[in-house]
Amino acid sequence: MLVASVLSLKGGVGKTTVTLGLVSAAIQAGVSTLLVDLDPQMNATTTVEIDDTGTTLADVLSNPRRTVVNDAIRISPWSDLLRVLPGSEAAEAHNNPDPTVKQLARLTTALSKVDPAPDLILIDCPPSLGQLTRSALVAADRAVLVTEPSLYAVTGVQRALEAVQKERLTHRHLQPLGVIVNRVRPRMTEHDYRLAELRDLFGPLVLNPVLPDRAAIQQAQGAAVPIHQWPTPGAKEIAAMFDALLDRLLRSARNRTRA
């Protein structure tokens, strides 16, 4: 089982879009997947057509017993391969700015009790560095950082990578997969400059392909369908890019197993 946390410490860069794109690619590849919505805004939960009534992530973090965990998990209409641990506004109560070791371990404990275990767990983190995001990093094998080519987003991804490296001091299994650059507009001077800056700062951690700004992404999300099922050329282009990024993520797990 591979656990990947998708994070950014700046809102509005398309973190949930990237998470859902990877989810869509995983479904297309036949990979059994659990989507964990840690963001109290619950955008991922809404898009995969899961409501937040009944047992949710907030209940799981309060009481990560096996029965509570598996009662909370639901199958998404997107695919039988996709299960969801739905988010809740009440999860904000678990976003302590100075959490204890025990609090940080609750998500890891909960994920170990998912039955049956999925092949892949994707965690959509909130755009802040409190208990929720830190617990996702503690639980994760890979950290996927998301940014866009703008000044403040570049600063945000620097802070996010520093947070990952700090968490690695006590959780050595965690590795940064890299930085996904989202909403790139070709031939836009500012974006070209910031993309070059990101590559200068992070080198090979900047993942290819970078994701262009396409209306198809918003259209698919508005219709609550996976990007792989949206019938436009732009959607096909983006879907192929998410396939490549998912392949990079899964290959990192195979490399870890061989090591």
Side-chain angles (χ1 to χ4, degrees):
M1 184 173 72
L2 175 66
V3 182
S5 293
V6 183
L7 70 150
S8 172
L9 297 186
K10 181 185 180 302
V13 300
K15 170 185 53 61
T16 299
T17 294
V18 168
T19 306
L20 294 175
L22 292 172
V23 165
S24 180
I27 293 170
Q28 189 72 14
V31 177
S32 66
T33 303
L34 175 67
L35 169 62
V36 179
D37 190 355
L38 273 189
D39 193 337
Q41 296 181 75
M42 305 180 301
N43 291 332
T45 297
T46 301
T47 306
V48 297
E49 299 187 285
I50 300 292
D51 63 49
D52 62 338
T53 59
T55 308
T56 68
L57 173 79
D59 301 297
V60 167
L61 292 178
S62 294
N63 184 7
R65 288 188 298 119
R66 187 176 303 273
T67 53
V68 177
V69 171
N70 289 287
D71 185 56
I73 292 173
R74 278 160 265 176
I75 296 176
S76 167
W78 276 21
S79 170
D80 290 343
L81 288 169
L82 177 60
R83 288 174 288 164
V84 181
L85 182 50
S88 168
E89 291 181 355
E92 186 60 46
H94 295 275
N95 208 13
N96 191 318
D98 188 23
T100 65
V101 172
K102 184 176 180 179
Q103 287 172 323
L104 290 175
R106 285 178 182 169
L107 181 61
T108 304
T109 299
L111 296 182
S112 71
K113 296 177 180 178
V114 176
D115 187 23
D119 296 323
L120 175 65
I121 297 178
L122 290 167
I123 306 175
D124 188 29
C125 301
S128 61
L129 191 58
Q131 179 183 334
L132 294 175
T133 296
R134 288 190 61 198
S135 66
L137 292 177
V138 169
D141 304 297
R142 296 291 179 268
V144 180
L145 286 67
V146 180
T147 190
E148 62 181 7
S150 68
L151 172 61
Y152 299 124
V154 170
T155 302
V157 80
Q158 287 179 299
R159 292 174 52 234
L161 184 58
E162 288 169 2
V164 171
Q165 300 294 16
K166 182 176 180 180
E167 215 61 62
R168 288 192 67 232
L169 295 176
T170 50
H171 300 91
R172 300 297 297 176
H173 58 88
L174 173 66
Q175 296 284 343
L177 181 74
V179 179
I180 294 178
V181 188
N182 190 36
R183 295 176 180 164
V184 176
R185 296 181 183 177
R187 298 178 297 279
M188 184 174 174
T189 303
E190 172 66 10
H191 282 202
D192 289 344
Y193 177 83
R194 295 302 172 191
L195 188 55
E197 182 181 27
L198 283 163
R199 286 176 170 147
D200 184 56
L201 285 169
F202 301 112
L205 279 179
V206 177
L207 300 177
N208 287 314
V210 299
L211 300 173
D213 192 7
R214 293 288 185 269
I217 295 176
Q218 287 74 38
Q219 292 164 351
Q221 288 181 356
V225 299
I227 189 67
H228 287 72
Q229 294 181 14
W230 193 246
T232 67
K236 185 176 181 180
E237 174 193 21
I238 294 292
M241 292 179 173
F242 278 120
D243 289 339
L245 292 168
L246 177 71
D247 182 66
R248 174 70 176 268
L249 175 61
L250 297 180
R251 280 191 290 111
S252 78
R254 290 194 290 270
N255 293 339
R256 175 194 62 182
T257 301
R258 286 197 294 270

